[in-house]
Amino acid sequence: CNFAPVPRPDYLLGVPQAGYWKELLNSDATEYGGSGLGNLGGLTSEPTQVHGQPHAVRAFLPPLAVLYFRLVK
């Protein structure tokens, strides 16, 4: 969740497993009346420890939005 009125590009977000994280929901998508900013459908993790997790994704957090991701195996 990004409750700030400004976007957060390249935000490191910790994830528990390596792989491709598909963006399931982006509340800033145009179909919900948003600006359409996001992560082009998903992100690939990197071996960087962040937020107590062994891997991370570099996410674009749109302003005033909620994102949901799921690991694709």
Side-chain angles (χ1 to χ4, degrees), residues 12-15 45-51 53-58:
L12 275 176
L13 179 65
V15 294
S45 68
E46 57 187 66
T48 303
Q49 291 184 338
V50 177
H51 302 127
Q53 300 294 327
H55 304 278
V57 292
R58 289 188 182 275

Side-chain angles (χ1 to χ4, degrees), residues 24-69:
L24 300 177
L25 174 77
N26 177 349
S27 67
D28 193 52
T30 56
E31 57 258 57
Y32 303 124
S35 63
L37 299 174
N39 298 283
L40 303 175
L43 303 164
T44 301
S45 68
E46 57 187 66
T48 303
Q49 291 184 338
V50 177
H51 302 127
Q53 300 294 327
H55 304 278
V57 292
R58 289 188 182 275
F60 182 92
L61 303 182
L64 304 171
V66 175
L67 305 174
Y68 283 89
F69 293 94

Side-chain angles (χ1 to χ4, degrees), residues 4 10 23 49:
D10 277 337
E23 189 174 74
Q49 291 184 338

